[in-house]
């Protein structure tokens, strides 16, 4: 009876299993063929999209096609992850997911390919030209048109005879783009100044420069009898005392460019005898309050005004290299003056518009430029300045190959110093598809090759190492950065969420253009001083499905209480497709990195630089696709060393590894192992007390090795490497 009663149930189960086997499991073995076909379609669409962009295809078409490309790449990478899983049920689950996603994306691929093949419609933008992309020169260093009165006033203040009422500090202040640095250079080269002072020094108060390095740089300039090696061998206090002594006994002129905060001045102020001696200090800054902070009683401050109409016209003529004897015909001069009214007397805007006009020689071309900017003005949002309109025009004239690279810089905070290596690693990780051209390989790096046109034009500013003249870092002018953020939002490339403002969280989200959080590709979040305002991230977490976020930057303005890693853990669970995760400078975050970070299988770039971390999780072993790993974290006040699990050898694709300066392993008796890291090229902060020395012999691709050790350990390390015959193909043996 029992057998007879369950017979229909068994028959139904048999039928169901047969259906699942034929309809679900067997087709999964065809996924490999489907993925191969998807890869071919992926490459075809990428090539078509590159051609479409170069031909001036419409932005909505480009944006939609790029999103399809990103989805294709996610599917292909998910399939690659399947091969590394040991659990057969989990492998079948992922295969099923891949098969379903391929079926969904096929019609979108066909639609995107067809849209890219359609010739772009004509637009009201500027007419194309066969001539090369324009150059957008910065304000010429030897041209100070309209600043003659400013030069004379500052020179008089600097050369004033010492007295109880005379000023030892002269300040030039004004908004960005007015030419403060250009004016300071002109003053420094003035004949009366050259004859009135004996020693000169020029220093830039760039972000991240230490007090010691800044004082040493100035001391080398005003003390020709000291060599750079002698100065750098001194302690900080000795350098500052010597610098102060030189200024008291010798008539020196020191120029400090781009002073940004009271803290920057306070840390270097001890080196300057403000009301003693014959020396003088010339400072450029954007904030008059900061000038008054230096010397509120005897400060001579000079506000740099905007240029008048005729001065603007003269500057424009110099920039477009039009001789005064040749002049302009009436029509072109009228068009130029109308354009200059849009610049508002701002030299940066005038130099930008001059770069555009310098490659156009007819009245028709100049009128096209003016009309195009005029049309843009009618659609301005409240608060946008005329300078931004001119910079919009500058962006439209850029080579398409440079646009995504420039916009990407907008992800970094205002005033950030960005190194070339960091940019190179990020660009290669992102795999920019536009244009379809590989970045130079790392052996020939550098990002200088890509950013050189932008640097030469003054759009991107650089910080150079004076002895070698090599570029140390890049940064963006505030106006340029705002332009990058606006343009990137329009093209759906990236978004910036600034939580430092006083707006309500809902207004912050709305003003950032984050309408559909699930569709964001790249996001940079600037955290404020109030941890409660981090709840704005909750708006992103409300998405019903996993986010398409590929890049996430998190920065902190100043430390605050109440911020912890649990908030980050919820975000990690939503962002399954992350390829770049940069959490830098979070000095006050509490707790340990959550284990959910191990679910980010597709992660290629991970950085916790200068972020407070107690312990890193064992789940890091799952990040097998990571190529750049920066663990130079900040230790907590209660723990002098971060706890690091011995799982790094699982990351076989790792190329760049930056270890913490102070760390300990989960098991104190075990050392970190690296024997599987055959692709590792850069290893920093290697220490023999925590790392397995014999594994160095396995790192055959290593190009740069930084070891932390004492003098005794260095001798032992050298003998150890010699006895074990450890050699590297790419590192000199001497």
């Amino acid at each position: 009876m029992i057998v007879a009663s369950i017979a229909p149930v068994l028959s139904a189960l048999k039928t169901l299993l047969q259906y699942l086997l034929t309809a679900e499991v067997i087709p999964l073995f065809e996924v490999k063929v489907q993925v191969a076909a998807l890869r071919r379609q992926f490459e075809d669409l990428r090539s078509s999209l590159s051609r479409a962009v170069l031909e001036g295809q419409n932005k909505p078409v480009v944006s939609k096609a790029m999103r399809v490309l990103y989805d294709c790449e996610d599917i292909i990478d998910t399939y690659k992850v399947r091969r590394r899983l040991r659990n057969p049920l989990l492998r079948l689950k992922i295969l099923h997911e891949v098969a379903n996603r391929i079926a969904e994306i096929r019609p979108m691929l066909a639609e995107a390919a067809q849209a890219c093949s359609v010739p772009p419609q004509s637009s009201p933008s500027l007419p194309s030209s066969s001539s090369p992309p324009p150059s957008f020169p910065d304000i010429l260093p030897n041209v100070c048109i309209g600043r003659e009165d400013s030069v004379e006033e500052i020179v008089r203040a600097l050369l004033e005879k010492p007295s109880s009422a005379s000023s030892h500090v002269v300040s030039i202040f004004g908004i960005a783009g007015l030419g403060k640095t250009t004016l300071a250079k002109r003053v420094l080269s003035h004949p009366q100044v050259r004859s009135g002072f004996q020693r000169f020094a020029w220093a830039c108060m760039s972000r991240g420069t230490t007090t010691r390095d800044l004082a040493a740089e100035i001391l080398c300039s005003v003390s020709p009898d000291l060599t750079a090696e002698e100065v750098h061998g001194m302690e900080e206090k000795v350098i500052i005392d010597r610098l102060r002594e030189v200024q008291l006994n010798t008539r020196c002129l020191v120029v400090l460019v781009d002073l940004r905060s009271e803290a920057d001045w306070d840390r270097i102020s001890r080196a300057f005898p403000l009301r003693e001696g014959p020396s003088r200090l010339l400072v450029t800054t954007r904030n008059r309050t900061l000038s008054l902070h230096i010397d509120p009683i005897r400060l001579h401050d000079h506000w740099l005004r905007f240029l008048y109409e005729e001065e603007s016209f003269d500057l424009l003529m110099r920039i477009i290299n039009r001789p005064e004897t040749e002049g302009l015909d009436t029509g072109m001069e009228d068009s130029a003056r109308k354009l200059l009214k849009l610049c508002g007397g701002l030299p940066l805007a005038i130099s930008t518009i001059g770069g555009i006009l310098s490659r156009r020689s007819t009245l028709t071309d100049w009128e096209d430029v003016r009309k195009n900017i005029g049309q843009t003005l009618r659609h301005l949002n409240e608060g946008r300045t005329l300078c931004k309109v001119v910079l919009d025009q500058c962006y439209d004239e850029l080579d398409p190959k440079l646009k995504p690279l420039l916009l990407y810089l907008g992800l970094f905070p205002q005033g950030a110093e960005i190194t070339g290596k960091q940019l190179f690693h990020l660009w290669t990780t992102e795999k920019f598809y536009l244009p379809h051209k590989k970045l130079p390989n790392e052996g020939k790096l550098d990002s200088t090759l890509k950013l050189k046109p932008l640097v030469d034009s003054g759009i991107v500013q650089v910080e150079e190492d004076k002895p070698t003249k090599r570029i140390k870092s890049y940064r963006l002018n505030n106006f340029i950065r705002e332009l990058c953020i606006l343009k990137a939002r329009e093209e759906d490339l990236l978004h910036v969420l600034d939580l430092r403002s006083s707006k309500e969280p809902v207004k912050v989200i709305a003003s950032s253009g984050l309408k559909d959080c699930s569709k964001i590709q790249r996001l940079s979040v600037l955290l404020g001083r109030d941890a409660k305002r981090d709840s704005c991230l909750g708006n992103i977490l409300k998405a019903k499905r996993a986010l398409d976020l590929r890049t996430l930057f998190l920065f902190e303005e100043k430390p605050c209480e109440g911020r912890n890693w649990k908030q980050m853990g919820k975000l990690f669970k939503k962002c399954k497709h992350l390829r770049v995760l940069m959490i830098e400078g979070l000095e006050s975050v509490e707790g340990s990195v959550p284990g959910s970070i191990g679910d980010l299988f597709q992660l290629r770039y991970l950085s916790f630089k200068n972020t407070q971390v107690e312990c890193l999780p064992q789940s890091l072993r799952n990040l097998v696709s990571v190529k750049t790993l920066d663990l130079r974290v900040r230790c907590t006040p209660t723990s002098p060393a971060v706890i690091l699990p011995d799982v790094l050898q699982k990351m076989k694709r790792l190329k760049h590894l930056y270890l913490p300066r102070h760390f300990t392993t989960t098991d104190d008796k075990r050392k970190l192992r690296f024997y599987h890291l055959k692709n590792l090229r850069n290893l920093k902060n290697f220490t023999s007390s925590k790392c397995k020395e014999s594994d160095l012999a396995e790192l055959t691709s290593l190009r740069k090795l930084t070891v932390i050790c004492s003098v005794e350990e260095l001798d032992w390390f050298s003998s150890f490497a010699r006895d074990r015959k450890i050699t590297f193909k790419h590192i000199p043996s001497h």
Side-chain angles (χ1 to χ4, degrees), residues 380-389 479 482 486:
L380 282 179
N381 296 325
E382 184 178 357
R384 287 188 63 189
T385 64
L386 298 178
C387 182
K388 291 178 185 175
V389 179
F479 287 116
E482 290 182 18
L486 290 171

Side-chain angles (χ1 to χ4, degrees), residues 397-676:
E397 291 277 346
L398 279 178
D399 188 335
K401 300 176 183 180
L402 298 174
K403 288 183 178 180
L405 305 183
L406 173 63
L407 296 185
Y408 197 84
L409 299 179
L411 284 170
F412 292 87
Q414 178 178 322
E417 301 285 344
I418 314 164
T419 64
K421 285 185 178 180
Q422 186 179 33
L423 281 178
F424 178 81
H425 297 329
L426 288 170
W427 287 345
T428 52
T429 301
E430 291 281 2
K431 295 182 180 178
F432 283 117
Y433 298 120
L434 305 177
H436 180 42
K437 183 178 181 180
K438 293 183 179 179
L439 289 168
N441 61 56
E442 196 167 357
K444 298 180 180 179
L445 165 75
D446 152 2
S447 53
T448 305
L449 300 176
K450 288 291 178 181
L451 287 179
K452 189 176 186 303
L454 298 175
V455 173
D456 293 341
S457 65
I459 296 177
V460 175
Q461 301 173 349
V462 298
E463 180 72 18
E464 291 185 345
D465 183 18
K466 290 189 176 180
T468 62
K469 299 296 182 182
R470 295 184 63 181
I471 295 177
K472 293 167 55 178
S473 60
Y474 302 88
R475 65 177 181 273
L476 289 179
N477 178 281
N478 292 342
F479 287 116
I480 303 292
R481 179 177 176 270
E482 290 182 18
L483 168 71
C484 289
I485 295 174
L486 290 171
K487 283 294 180 183
R489 186 190 305 173
E490 292 173 5
E491 300 185 6
D492 200 21
L493 183 69
L494 60 89
H495 289 77
V496 175
L497 182 61
D498 192 345
L499 302 182
R500 301 173 300 172
S501 65
S502 58
K503 296 181 181 179
E504 294 297 325
V506 176
K507 294 182 179 179
V508 172
I509 295 290
S511 62
S512 300
L514 304 180
K515 296 179 181 179
D516 185 1
C517 297
S518 64
K519 295 296 184 180
I520 302 173
Q521 295 290 333
R522 298 173 182 86
L523 176 65
S524 176
V525 182
L526 307 178
L527 301 175
R529 304 181 186 181
D530 185 3
K532 295 180 180 179
R533 298 187 59 79
D534 295 354
S535 60
C536 289
L537 293 175
N539 289 270
I540 301 176
L541 298 176
K542 289 179 181 178
K544 295 181 180 180
R545 62 183 182 86
L547 304 181
D548 290 338
L549 202 61
R550 298 169 58 89
T551 299
L552 177 62
F553 287 9
L554 292 177
F555 300 100
E556 184 179 65
E557 182 187 35
K558 288 188 177 180
C560 72
E561 297 180 358
R563 188 169 288 150
N564 58 69
W565 279 106
K566 290 183 179 179
Q567 300 167 328
M568 308 296 176
K570 297 177 182 179
L571 192 61
F572 297 158
K573 292 179 181 179
K574 279 286 185 180
C575 306
K576 298 293 186 181
H577 304 302
L578 270 181
R579 280 165 170 73
V580 175
L581 178 59
M582 182 186 293
I583 305 178
E584 294 195 354
L586 273 65
E587 301 179 8
S588 57
V589 63
E590 299 175 355
S592 302
V593 177
S596 58
I597 195 172
D599 297 333
L600 306 178
F601 297 110
Q602 300 181 21
L603 208 59
R604 267 74 164 170
Y605 185 104
L606 176 61
S607 174
F608 293 121
K609 187 177 180 181
N610 294 330
T611 293
Q612 183 169 284
V613 175
E614 291 182 5
C615 178
L616 291 163
Q618 291 282 344
S619 60
L620 285 178
R621 68 171 69 242
N622 299 331
L623 306 182
V624 293
S625 298
V626 168
K627 295 183 178 180
T628 301
L629 181 61
D630 195 338
L631 301 178
R632 290 175 289 182
V633 301
R634 182 184 295 272
C635 299
T636 63
T638 57
S639 176
V642 63
I643 301 175
L644 182 62
D646 182 23
V647 296
L648 300 182
Q649 73 272 14
K650 302 291 184 180
M651 304 177 183
K652 297 181 181 180
R653 297 186 179 184
L654 198 60
K655 291 185 177 181
H656 310 279
L657 175 59
Y658 304 89
L659 294 172
R661 191 171 183 85
H662 304 286
F663 70 93
T664 181
T665 56
T666 308
D667 184 356
D668 291 337
K669 297 181 180 180
R670 297 184 60 182
K671 294 184 177 182
L672 283 183
R673 303 300 303 270
F674 307 102
Y675 55 88
H676 284 318

Side-chain angles (χ1 to χ4, degrees), residues 219-281:
L219 181 59
C220 289
S221 299
V222 299
S223 300
D225 54 320
L226 293 176
T227 64
E229 291 76 12
E230 292 175 341
V231 173
H232 288 292
M234 301 177 183
E235 295 182 357
E236 179 178 327
K237 185 178 184 303
V238 176
I239 294 175
I240 291 177
D241 291 340
R242 289 288 297 271
L243 178 56
R244 187 180 182 90
E245 181 183 354
V246 171
Q247 294 179 87
L248 287 172
N249 299 325
T250 310
R251 191 163 173 77
C252 304
L253 174 60
V254 179
V255 183
L256 292 182
V257 180
D258 199 16
L259 189 61
R260 300 179 181 180
S261 66
E262 294 181 0
D264 286 341
W265 168 252
D266 291 340
R267 64 186 176 90
I268 194 64
S269 60
R270 294 174 294 149
F272 299 101
L274 295 184
R275 301 182 184 179
E276 303 174 43
S279 298
R280 295 291 184 269
L281 178 65

Side-chain angles (χ1 to χ4, degrees), residues 299-317:
L299 170 75
H300 182 95
D301 56 344
H302 179 81
W303 173 69
L304 200 57
R305 60 175 175 81
F306 290 88
L307 296 180
Y308 299 132
E309 182 177 350
E310 289 302 319
E311 295 169 344
S312 299
F313 184 77
D314 292 342
L315 178 60
L316 179 65
M317 292 299 100

